[in-house]
Each structure stands twice: as structure tokens, then as C-alpha cells.
Amino acid sequence: MDALSVLIAIALIHCSLFFFDTLFKSCSHFPYLYFLENTGLEIQILRVKWFTTAFNRKIIKWGMDRSRFWTAWFNAGIIITVILFPIAVIIILKMTFNMWLAGSSSDTSSGVILEPMLPGVDVPFNEIGYYAATLAICSIVHELGHAFAAAREDVQLFGLGILIVFTIPIAYVHISNEQLTALPLRNQLRIACAGIWHNIILATIAAAILVFSTWLWAPLYNIGSGIYVKTILPNSPMLGPSGLLEHDVIYKLNNCPVKHSEDWYDCILQTMQHSAPGYCVKQSFIQDYDESVPAKQKTNGAVNCCTTDSEMSGNQCFEYIEGPQTAPLHLPPHSCLPVRAMLNQSQNYCQTSHECLSQDTHCMKPSLDNVTKIIQIKRKIGKDVLFFGHPADIYRTVDVSDWVPKYSFLYPKLPESLALLCKYITVFSAGLAIINVVPCFFLDGQYILNILVLYLLNSVPHNKNIRESTILTITSIGTLLLIMNLMYLLINKLL
């Protein structure tokens, strides 16, 4: 199912929910109204809202326990957030400056520090689950920070909720605004900074798990010693009696070592960009196995010196590559040789005969067109796999993993999923912390700025108008700059 079909299906589900919700409400179905009231559900067009008070007691209990720890915890949040505040402002100013510079050049990606990540554009659509889960986790952790801090300051907590806007989950917390504004400024700042502080902690934990994942999974998985074949598509040319198998561990592709999945793709790209290598083989082998017939030039530039039966049995026409020093030609210009037998006894790869170490060996290069390649895939168990065709077919039809299970009942999906989720959480949670600290309307930065200005200008006499003007000006500028940057980046991504 493609991305558009999934989005249409989600939109139809939202429309169906809204239709039945409107129908049941208009008919005053008491069981349905009772169900909505007791579950806290609220359905609107393309939006589903859930609100609950079930966690209030637990949050209040956790917030009031270990009061010294929580005080030090949220005080640390104030320090880190206040340090991050000017950094976020500098980032927004730098992005705006880079945006104006990019307006006069064709490079629209230069200097981008923060940018929106869109499913199907930056995020592969098959990772939409990780995208939604990450947004939910980061949003919930952010709001729980505010809830714990509010409970610690004895501010009434009405409840928690999650709002799903189409496919984007957003968490929120409802606390008493009157009790919040009545607190001393330092206590207000603890609550305002708690969400950003928890996002920073979440990003740090996710990054640490990602960095140390190799050691965490070491008892169960190997990494860095080869790649694991997860799946092979049914139409793959790698399938066959002597072809590649799922669960194979590959460590070399021709003369290119493969330790990680990046090496695998780099090696495939290298075979596409460079000419096919030659093979150093003994003269006696060539004389014993040569089944060549008079050579013929093909339309694609390759030379054919094998009969149809020889090609069907695994033979290929090879060209004798003479070294830089002209020597008497002991071999015919082209020889029809069995590919697998020749590769098995080949001493090393070559481009010219002088690269072959022994005197009785010669460099034999397959006579192919510019697209077709012979690729030797070495695996830890089983004989080498020989591929004859375009290397892109390997790239498209074989899915590999860095995680090689030590036991047959294991599969790389678990460590891969955890690593990918940690990557998303690290990026999203850190980005959410920076965005929220920007002095912008409806973000935490607005309230943090308000408290900081009140605190700094509190000693100035008759300062009410000055405070309000300063807060409004800075917040308006921050909102304008943030919207300009986001709109600019979105337009460049979508157009």
C-alpha cells in the first residue's frame, strides 16, 4: 500500500468517526453519551481528543515524594533552560540570516540548523509508525514535566490528555492558571521550564542508548564483522540454487570488504562506477579449460568467444590483458573459461598483468558491456555467490542489516527498531526543547520570557508598561521569525 492510499484510509476513518459521532449525538443515544463522558473522548472533524484524570493521584504522589530531589531536579531544569534560552534565540537569528543569504543563491539548504521533518519527504513513509510514536513520547514526556512540577508546587492538576490531529499526536496538561500566577516567580519558572528540561533529559537518554547500543546488544548480536541478509525480494536475480539466502552473513564483495551496511552500498556503488576487475589465473588453467571459438564483436561493445552451450554451463569470454612491458603473446586474445572455477583458483584481482605476482599467471578480464558486471559475494557459510548483471538489481532486491544474530532464533528487527526509535527521539526531543524555548506565542518560551523579564525588571520603579512592552515586542519578533523560517523551509521542501 502506497503513502497516498494510507493517508486516504486515515482520512476516511476520521470522517467515519465524525459521521457516527454526529449521528449518535443527534439521536441522543444515552449509552453513547455515557461512553464519551466516562472515557473522556471527544471526536471532531479530523481530530480525536482524549482527556483523563486517572493519573492525577499518581502524579501528585510522585511529585510530593522525595521533595529535596524534585527541588534540585527542577532547579537544574531552570539553569539548563535559561542557558538554552539565548542559544535558541541565536539559532533562530542565524537561520533567518541564512534564509536571506540563500534567497540570492540556489543553495536553499545551506546553514539549516532546525527544519521540519515531513513523512514522505524527510521521513520514509514506512517509518511513519516511528514518527508518530516519537511525537507521542516526546509530547507526553514534555507535559509530564509540567505536571510533576505543578504537583510539586501544589498547583491543582485537572488532568492529562492527548489530541490526535489527523496522524499527529499531541499531549497536553490542564492545571490551575490562577494558582500558577499566584506563585513566586522562581516557583513559576520551575513549572514553565520543566517540559523543556524533560525533553533535554529524554534526548540525552535516547542518545546514550544509541551510542552504547553495540555494547548493550553484544551478548546477542555481532556488529562490524559483516552484514546480515534479512530479506530477498521474490523477483531478485540473487535467488537460485547457488544464489544468496536469507540469514547469510556477507563479509566481502569482490575485493571490497563489507563490515557495515554502509560498506555494502558503497561497494555496490563502486562496482557500478568502475570497470569490472580482472583475475590473475595460471597459464596452465587457461590452456586446460579454454573452450573458445572465433571471437565475434557484439553490438554492445563486448566480445563473444563462447558457444551458447558453454555460456549455459557457466562460461564467459575473458580478454587477455597484457602488461605494460610488451612480451610475447603466449595466450589467445580471448578465452572462454568457466567463471566459478576460474574465480576459485584466482590469486588476486588485477587491471594489468604486471599486478599478478607469479610469472606464470596472467590477468584475464571479462569481456562485458559497460552495464553488466561479474560480482563475487563472499559469505561466511556456503560457497561464494556469483552475480552476473547490473549491480543495482542487488541494491533494490536485497535488504541487509548491521546486526548479525549470534543465535538462530534471533532476528535483527529488535535492535534495529530500538536504534531507529532512539534516533527519532534524540532529534525530535532536542528539537522540541529548542523550539519551545524560543520566545513565541503559545510556546513555553513566552511564559519563560515573561517570568524572566518580571524578575529582572522587578526592582525598576513604575516598570509595568516597560515590562509589558518589552515582553510583547520580544515575543512578537520571536513568533514572526519562527513562522518565517518554518514557512520558508516548508515551501522549499514541498516545491
Side-chain angles (χ1 to χ4, degrees):
M1 185 178 291
D2 59 3
L4 181 60
S5 300
V6 174
L7 293 177
I8 292 174
I10 294 173
L12 290 175
I13 292 173
H14 274 285
C15 293
S16 300
L17 290 174
F18 181 72
F19 171 77
F20 286 110
D21 178 74
T22 305
L23 178 64
F24 291 150
K25 283 181 178 178
S26 62
C27 297
S28 299
H29 285 283
F30 178 75
Y32 179 70
L33 297 176
Y34 181 79
F35 168 76
L36 292 179
E37 183 180 353
N38 282 273
T39 57
L41 284 174
E42 182 181 343
I43 298 174
Q44 299 173 344
I45 186 67
L46 298 181
R47 296 200 308 172
V48 178
K49 183 179 179 181
W50 176 66
F51 183 79
T52 181
T53 60
F55 305 104
N56 288 11
R57 289 188 177 181
K58 184 64 68 175
I59 291 174
I60 293 172
K61 182 179 182 300
W62 285 348
M64 298 306 295
D65 287 347
R66 301 179 179 87
S67 58
R68 289 185 179 180
F69 168 78
W70 285 120
T71 300
W73 177 261
F74 291 117
N75 284 339
I78 293 175
I79 296 172
I80 298 300
T81 305
V82 170
I83 293 173
L84 185 62
F85 189 87
I87 296 175
V89 173
I90 292 172
I91 289 174
I92 294 298
L93 291 175
K94 185 177 180 181
M95 288 177 61
T96 306
F97 180 72
N98 291 333
M99 179 181 68
W100 290 113
L101 289 181
S104 58
S105 65
S106 58
D107 185 9
T108 58
S109 62
S110 60
V112 174
I113 302 173
L114 293 172
E115 58 180 319
M117 297 184 68
L118 305 176
V121 180
D122 306 283
V123 180
F125 201 79
N126 60 351
E127 297 177 5
I128 187 67
Y130 295 96
Y131 182 87
T134 300
L135 287 178
I137 292 171
C138 294
S139 183
I140 290 171
V141 169
H142 180 95
E143 296 303 328
L144 282 177
H146 290 306
F148 282 128
R152 177 69 190 89
E153 302 299 335
D154 202 21
V155 175
Q156 184 177 1
L157 173 65
F158 296 113
L160 303 171
I162 294 179
L163 176 66
I164 300 177
V165 182
F166 196 55
T167 59
I168 301 176
I170 303 171
Y172 64 95
V173 60
H174 186 196
I175 61 177
S176 174
N177 190 56
E178 292 78 9
Q179 293 182 9
L180 175 63
T181 54
L183 291 174
L185 295 178
R186 185 180 182 86
N187 301 60
Q188 292 184 41
L189 196 58
R190 287 194 189 115
I191 299 175
C193 296
I196 297 169
W197 170 235
H198 278 215
N199 276 132
I200 295 172
I201 294 298
L202 178 63
T204 304
I205 293 173
I209 294 174
L210 187 61
V211 169
F212 295 106
S213 59
T214 302
W215 290 273
L216 292 174
W217 294 104
L220 302 176
Y221 295 89
N222 288 320
I223 191 168
S225 60
I227 57 171
Y228 180 86
V229 179
K230 293 195 298 182
T231 56
I232 305 174
L233 295 181
N235 61 341
S236 176
M238 300 302 300
L239 296 175
S242 59
L244 202 62
L245 300 173
E246 293 182 0
H247 314 307
D248 276 341
V249 179
I250 299 170
Y251 66 94
K252 205 169 188 181
L253 194 149
N254 283 348
N255 59 341
C256 184
V258 177
K259 296 181 179 180
H260 303 279
S261 57
E262 293 83 0
D263 300 333
W264 167 254
Y265 299 125
D266 289 342
C267 290
I268 293 176
L269 183 62
Q270 181 179 325
T271 60
M272 296 172 61
Q273 295 175 340
H274 298 84
S275 59
Y279 306 91
C280 291
V281 293
K282 293 184 178 180
Q283 182 172 332
S284 57
F285 174 86
I286 300 171
Q287 293 172 341
D288 291 342
Y289 287 90
D290 185 13
E291 299 180 7
S292 60
V293 296
K296 296 180 180 180
Q297 189 81 21
K298 294 183 179 180
T299 56
N300 57 12
V303 174
N304 183 21
C305 61
C306 296
T307 63
T308 304
D309 292 339
S310 295
E311 290 181 341
M312 293 294 292
S313 63
N315 285 26
Q316 171 64 32
C317 186
F318 287 84
E319 179 184 0
Y320 169 55
I321 305 298
E322 194 173 9
Q325 296 180 352
T326 304
L329 187 64
H330 299 292
L331 298 171
H334 296 90
S335 300
C336 181
L337 302 171
V339 178
R340 181 173 291 277
M342 192 186 73
L343 266 61
N344 288 337
Q345 67 87 46
S346 174
Q347 297 182 356
N348 59 286
Y349 295 94
C350 61
Q351 291 295 336
T352 57
S353 286
H354 78 279
E355 296 178 7
C356 299
L357 303 178
S358 302
Q359 293 182 353
D360 62 339
T361 58
H362 302 275
C363 186
M364 303 296 293
K365 194 171 183 179
S367 181
L368 304 169
D369 55 55
N370 293 330
V371 175
T372 306
K373 309 287 183 181
I374 294 179
I375 300 177
Q376 184 179 11
I377 301 175
K378 294 182 177 292
R379 50 186 177 177
K380 292 191 175 180
I381 299 176
K383 61 182 181 180
D384 297 348
V385 177
L386 299 181
F387 172 77
F388 184 85
H390 197 291
D393 292 335
I394 305 176
Y395 178 85
R396 289 186 293 101
T397 60
V398 179
D399 188 20
V400 299
S401 173
D402 287 324
W403 302 91
V404 180
K406 291 184 177 181
Y407 306 99
S408 59
F409 61 88
L410 294 175
Y411 194 70
K413 185 65 176 177
L414 182 60
E416 279 185 339
S417 299
L418 180 61
L420 185 57
L421 183 62
C422 286
K423 287 180 182 178
Y424 273 103
I425 291 176
T426 302
V427 173
F428 275 62
S429 192
L432 187 61
I434 294 175
I435 291 294
N436 262 285
V437 83
V438 174
C440 176
F441 291 113
F442 307 113
L443 296 181
D444 291 342
Q446 176 188 3
Y447 306 103
I448 294 172
L449 174 67
N450 186 30
I451 297 169
L452 290 177
V453 171
L454 287 174
Y455 185 81
L456 295 174
L457 300 182
N458 198 33
S459 59
V460 179
H462 310 293
N463 60 355
K464 183 177 180 180
N465 292 334
I466 298 176
R467 291 199 306 262
E468 291 179 353
S469 300
T470 303
I471 294 169
L472 181 61
T473 302
I474 296 176
T475 306
S476 300
I477 294 173
T479 304
L480 179 63
L481 294 180
L482 185 60
I483 292 175
M484 286 173 54
N485 279 278
L486 290 178
M487 292 301 297
Y488 175 77
L489 292 171
L490 283 172
I491 291 172
N492 284 326
K493 284 179 179 293
L494 298 176
L495 296 181

